Amino acid sequence: MYRLTCVQCGQSYPPDEILYTCRSCGHLLFVEYDLDSITVRREDWDRRPISVWRYRELLPVTIPPVSLQEGGTPLYRLERIGKEIGLPNLYAKHEGMNPTGSFKDRGMTVGVSMALQLKKSTVACASTGNTSASLAAYAAKAGIPAVVLLPAGKVALGKVAQALMHGANVISIRGNFDKALEMVQELCISHGLYLLNSINPFRLEGQKTIGFEVIDQIGGVPDRIVLPVGNAGNISAVHKGLSELRTLGLIDRLPMMTGIQAKGSSPVVRAIRDGLPEVIPEKQPETIATAIRIGAPVNAEKALNAIRQTGGTAEWVTDEEILAMQKALAQKEGIGVEPASAASVAGVLKLTESGVIDRSEYVVCVVTGHLLKDPETVIKQCKPPIEIDADLQSLLSALHCS
Ligand code: AN7
């Protein structure tokens, strides 16, 4: 059993109420389980394939889920990059290996299932790209229509292609993501569409399984989990899930939750650094990592708690640092990620150099989206292929062979 509870005033609501924020104080809601009455048996989890639905006792869905087989993503040891940074235990969980190429699929399998469970017939979101791609695919699987609002000209090509091909009603607005989110929230409240941005507490339930999988894959608790931060939903979700595992006695401590933002769009970093009670939104967020080009993170309240309660931190990295790490992951580890995803590992480099991360730490970075999401940024960074006449002599000279 579960209810929706306000993070601020503690007011609770029944699980079938369609509500995105607390009716009495306006703050965020979370899904609160009656953990005393839930039986989670390790043996049951261990017997099921590693995926979001392995952990179904701690998820709110009671109907057969709308699933495209999400989760169960690989956890790689970053051997070369770890050696260069001086972190022998550096790992990356590649969320780009999900069905639509990002971690959003974990949230959408739960979120779209909840839409059906709550008898909602149309779903909607605003998105910097990945959320729209994922929602479009899961709505298609569920057989219901989806409306997605994108900031015009600021969404990577692969993501727009996915949203269109999966049949969503795709609207580009002349404004940034923060404005699009404001608009879609109004639309959903006035016209009864089901909102599936990360302000929807059910979506974060799916995303918390990233943390569960990390625990299962390494057989224990890492010292630190590092995530790129945009709307700050994912870092909040992972923290929430691991807190539940601790309450259930399945783990005995929490990792230091660490959030990385792009320099041009880093309100969470400034709030942590300056000890502010809440974030001050940025009006003109800017970064090449368009996925995290977000100035007013809706889940900031949850994220600041997650970071502070675990002794974690937040740091920014420049676009140059992001692109250099994207290339390093691709060329030294064989791991292809989009720019926002590389921010987590770039942040680890910076925090290790500055002495915040100790070299003995066991660090897991979440790399959130696939390289192919943003081919244009990739092509701009690489030399084009050499084009030659179709004969062996031209090939040999192109390869500088005699
Ligand atoms: C690759 O798709 O906000 O901090 O609308 O696509 O949970 O917001 C994407 C976010 C990190 C940040 N990495 O996660 C959207 C959207 C990638 C992302 C984030 C996003 P949150």
Side-chain angles (χ1 to χ4, degrees):
M1 272 309 292
Y2 62 88
R3 54 199 161 266
L4 298 175
T5 302
C6 174
V7 295
Q8 174 68 23
C9 73
Q11 172 83 37
S12 287
Y13 302 92
D16 53 355
E17 201 154 330
I18 311 281
L19 206 57
Y20 308 107
T21 50
C22 177
R23 213 181 290 122
S24 26
C25 73
H27 284 260
L28 298 170
L29 300 172
F30 69 99
V31 179
E32 186 177 27
Y33 299 90
D34 203 349
L35 291 175
D36 292 339
S37 69
I38 292 179
T39 319
V40 174
R41 297 194 322 167
R42 256 257 153 253
E43 313 86 80
D44 292 339
W45 282 4
D46 289 344
R47 228 178 288 125
R48 299 173 194 156
I50 185 163
S51 80
V52 168
W53 297 102
R54 167 186 272 203
Y55 309 101
R56 56 181 175 250
E57 290 86 351
L58 292 180
L59 295 173
V61 179
T62 53
I63 61 169
V66 180
S67 174
L68 294 166
Q69 301 186 23
E70 45 294 312
T73 55
L75 182 73
Y76 297 117
R77 180 149 179 226
L78 301 184
E79 289 182 37
R80 293 201 180 86
I81 293 176
K83 196 172 225 172
E84 283 174 20
I85 299 179
L87 277 176
N89 292 308
L90 178 61
Y91 292 78
K93 185 148 176 71
H94 194 352
E95 287 296 298
M97 302 296 276
N98 273 298
T100 77
S102 84
F103 70 94
K104 305 288 182 181
D105 296 340
R106 294 180 188 268
M108 287 307 173
T109 183
V110 172
V112 173
S113 299
M114 285 307 293
L116 298 190
Q117 192 167 312
L118 296 167
K119 312 257 184 302
K120 302 298 284 186
S121 55
T122 305
V123 288
C125 71
S127 179
T128 59
N130 281 323
T131 297
S132 69
S134 184
L135 181 62
Y138 282 85
K141 178 76 181 171
I144 57 174
V147 176
V148 309
L149 269 63
L150 306 178
K154 292 292 181 182
V155 176
L157 191 66
K159 305 174 188 180
V160 184
Q162 289 177 292
L164 291 170
M165 189 50 132
H166 287 300
N169 190 349
V170 181
I171 315 274
S172 273
I173 67 142
R174 291 188 279 274
N176 64 22
F177 167 81
D178 302 301
K179 183 66 194 167
L181 182 57
E182 209 181 291
M183 287 171 63
V184 80
Q185 273 180 264
E186 280 173 31
L187 174 75
C188 287
I189 289 164
S190 63
H191 285 73
L193 287 77
Y194 193 57
L195 179 62
L196 277 168
N197 279 99
S198 55
I199 194 168
N200 182 318
F202 294 122
R203 237 195 66 190
L204 299 187
E205 291 303 294
Q207 290 172 210
K208 76 185 180 186
T209 60
I210 295 174
F212 296 172
E213 289 187 9
V214 166
I215 303 291
D216 283 356
Q217 285 171 311
I218 68 180
V221 184
D223 296 309
R224 191 183 293 273
I225 297 186
V226 186
L227 301 99
V229 169
N231 251 322
N234 214 25
I235 191 169
S236 309
V238 171
H239 174 250
K240 178 190 190 270
L242 294 179
S243 302
E244 288 168 350
L245 290 197
R246 189 177 55 174
T247 305
L248 289 166
L250 292 173
I251 57 174
D252 57 5
R253 66 193 173 99
L254 296 181
M256 291 177 272
M257 299 305 303
T258 301
I260 310 297
Q261 296 197 290
K263 188 178 180 193
S265 152
S266 51
V268 172
V269 177
R270 281 183 288 109
I272 289 293
R273 197 171 282 180
D274 301 340
L276 308 179
E278 52 192 59
V279 298
I280 301 169
E282 265 170 44
K283 290 217 163 50
Q284 307 283 348
E286 213 37 89
T287 168
I288 191 145
T290 51
I292 51 173
R293 186 175 172 273
I294 294 174
V298 286
N299 288 294
E301 185 177 20
K302 290 181 176 177
L304 293 179
N305 275 338
I307 291 167
R308 287 179 175 141
Q309 283 173 12
T310 59
T313 191
E315 182 58 280
W316 53 254
V317 287
T318 63
D319 283 358
E320 292 69 32
E321 289 167 326
I322 287 173
L323 293 180
M325 190 54 78
Q326 183 191 23
K327 194 171 256 184
L329 283 164
Q331 301 192 350
K332 294 176 181 169
E333 303 288 351
I335 300 174
V337 301
E338 66 168 293
S341 312
S344 57
V345 190
V348 166
L349 169 61
K350 185 171 175 187
L351 288 169
T352 308
E353 281 174 347
S354 64
V356 174
I357 294 182
D358 189 89
R359 291 180 199 280
S360 67
E361 282 182 27
Y362 201 113
V363 179
V364 175
C365 295
V366 180
V367 293
T368 41
H370 199 277
L371 170 92
L372 291 171
K373 290 281 189 173
D374 189 356
E376 289 174 310
T377 304
V378 172
I379 293 288
K380 275 187 216 144
Q381 288 176 80
C382 299
K383 274 198 253 149
I386 306 164
E387 188 175 321
I388 58 166
D389 289 334
D391 64 70
L392 187 60
Q393 198 47 53
S394 303
L395 178 60
L396 291 173
S397 68
L399 294 173
H400 308 292
C401 302
S402 46

